[in-house]
Amino acid sequence: MLNLNSENNNDSRNPFQDPVSLNVGGEIYTTTVDTLTRYRDSMLGAMFTGQIPALRDEQGHVFIDRDGKVFRYILNYLRSSALDLPHGFTELSLLRREADFFQIHPLMEELRRIDASVPLSCKGGPVGAMLILDLDSTVRVLHFNLRRGPENYELRTCSVRAFTVEVFCTWPSFLNMLCERFSYRTSKGGLVHPHPCNLKPNRLKLEWVPRPTELPLDQYDKQHYRALTVCHPDDTQGDDLIMCGGEEITNMQGFLEELLKVSMSEGFKVDQVSPDSGDILKCTALRLVK
């Protein structure tokens, strides 16, 4: 590549003429000197006022060895002083790094404001995060007296299935997302969110027992059983208590379906299934990696 500046480096005249063609990481852009020098204290401002050397490629475009696709948002910001990103834009960290490289301070501040307004659940989480689940279910037999009259009781037997899921995740914010998605139904009909284990923010334990129709509610409550439900964002009222909504999880397959929806939407991929990798909805152990 050739040095773009004139042979006389002491020439005070700006060596750039409109329009200016740029080759940024293989992407070609055309703009004006005024646009590129809108912020004179930026790297582009210094480059296109001749204060620092620049290069041309073989076609004569000014060459900048940076991410070409993200540069479109930087150039548009220089043109309008407004940051317009498409819905669902997922490369904020890359754009922030490029803005820092070009030292465009108003854009860097705008990106800091955007980053501060994005919930933790939308920031993507660390690459390489691991999610491990151990799943178990057992059948319990209950014996109870069913009252038929003032002094008339009938001995009854009922089987219930108890479910237990132990979750470990290296990304604690994801466990908080799970706690927001699932909830326990209380004896008064409300719903309350679970919480990660005390002193162990990377661990979450869920235990629930669906109530069979033949088990009276008072006997169900007497055993301190709880149902597990799937919550929706519009149902939440307050930090923990939900007064309505919630679709009950009646089996482990239903739980796994919801868990996979949440985890895969956050970028996790199934890494290991036990015992049968071909039937994930009947697994007893599961590992996902982001």
Side-chain angles (χ1 to χ4, degrees), residues 199-241:
L199 305 179
K200 294 181 179 180
N202 294 95
R203 296 184 180 274
L204 172 67
K205 187 174 184 178
L206 299 173
E207 298 177 285
W208 75 98
V209 179
R211 183 174 73 88
T213 56
E214 61 270 24
L215 180 63
L217 182 59
D218 62 330
Q219 294 294 327
Y220 181 82
D221 291 338
K222 185 178 179 180
Q223 300 295 325
H224 303 290
Y225 291 151
R226 296 184 295 183
L228 186 71
T229 68
V230 180
C231 296
H232 304 286
D234 293 340
D235 297 329
T236 303
Q237 299 179 4
D239 293 334
D240 295 313
L241 187 63

Side-chain angles (χ1 to χ4, degrees), residues 171-199:
W171 179 24
S173 294
F174 180 75
L175 291 188
N176 293 329
M177 280 183 261
L178 289 184
C179 290
E180 293 175 1
R181 175 63 65 96
F182 296 101
S183 63
Y184 292 118
R185 189 178 300 282
T186 69
S187 59
K188 296 182 180 180
L191 302 176
V192 62
H193 289 299
H195 294 281
C197 300
N198 291 335
L199 305 179

Side-chain angles (χ1 to χ4, degrees), residues 1-2 4 21-24 26-28 55-64:
M1 298 207 176
L2 303 175
L4 180 66
S21 294
L22 307 176
N23 176 350
V24 184
E27 299 287 331
I28 305 300
L55 300 174
R56 283 189 187 272
D57 64 14
E58 294 178 353
Q59 285 71 44
H61 308 300
V62 178
F63 179 77
I64 302 176

Side-chain angles (χ1 to χ4, degrees), residues 244-279:
C244 62
E247 178 183 348
E248 186 171 345
I249 300 291
T250 59
N251 52 50
M252 194 65 82
Q253 288 86 348
F255 171 81
L256 282 169
E257 288 176 358
E258 292 298 327
L259 182 282
L260 290 170
K261 288 179 187 176
V262 179
S263 58
M264 289 185 172
S265 69
E266 293 296 331
F268 283 95
K269 297 183 183 299
V270 175
D271 180 61
Q272 184 174 323
V273 180
S274 178
D276 182 2
S277 60
D279 197 349

Side-chain angles (χ1 to χ4, degrees), residues 151-172:
E151 298 181 1
N152 182 12
Y153 291 87
E154 178 183 346
L155 181 63
R156 288 288 189 91
T157 300
C158 177
S159 296
V160 299
R161 184 170 289 275
F163 298 96
T164 303
V165 177
E166 296 197 34
V167 186
F168 171 81
C169 188
T170 58
W171 179 24

Side-chain angles (χ1 to χ4, degrees), residues 9-171:
N9 291 332
N10 294 322
D11 191 347
S12 61
R13 293 175 300 172
N14 191 332
F16 300 96
Q17 303 269 336
D18 289 336
V20 179
S21 294
L22 307 176
N23 176 350
V24 184
E27 299 287 331
I28 305 300
Y29 295 93
T30 302
T31 185
T32 66
V33 172
D34 281 347
T35 295
L36 294 167
T37 59
R38 179 179 295 273
Y39 300 102
R40 293 300 182 100
D41 60 345
S42 70
M43 187 273 273
L44 291 172
M47 176 182 289
F48 289 95
T49 54
Q51 300 176 55
I52 60 176
L55 300 174
R56 283 189 187 272
D57 64 14
E58 294 178 353
Q59 285 71 44
H61 308 300
V62 178
F63 179 77
I64 302 176
D65 188 18
R66 300 301 296 183
D67 189 282
K69 295 188 182 301
V70 168
F71 186 77
R72 63 175 293 195
Y73 304 109
I74 291 174
L75 184 57
N76 284 337
Y77 185 84
L78 295 176
R79 287 167 173 160
S80 63
S81 295
L83 181 59
D84 297 313
L85 300 176
H87 178 71
F89 184 73
T90 59
E91 295 187 302
L92 273 176
S93 60
L94 176 58
L95 179 56
R96 187 166 53 247
R97 184 162 61 247
E98 295 301 290
D100 181 67
F101 173 82
F102 289 111
Q103 284 295 290
I104 304 172
H105 295 286
L107 176 57
M108 293 162 63
E109 182 60 32
E110 179 68 19
L111 288 168
R112 277 193 287 268
R113 284 195 294 268
I114 292 175
D115 190 62
S117 68
V118 175
L120 284 175
S121 62
C122 300
K123 291 186 177 179
V127 174
M130 185 175 296
L131 175 64
I132 300 174
L133 296 96
D134 289 315
L135 310 101
D136 184 47
S137 67
T138 58
V139 175
R140 301 174 184 173
V141 179
L142 299 179
H143 303 283
F144 60 92
N145 290 317
L146 181 64
R147 186 176 181 180
R148 294 295 190 182
E151 298 181 1
N152 182 12
Y153 291 87
E154 178 183 346
L155 181 63
R156 288 288 189 91
T157 300
C158 177
S159 296
V160 299
R161 184 170 289 275
F163 298 96
T164 303
V165 177
E166 296 197 34
V167 186
F168 171 81
C169 188
T170 58
W171 179 24

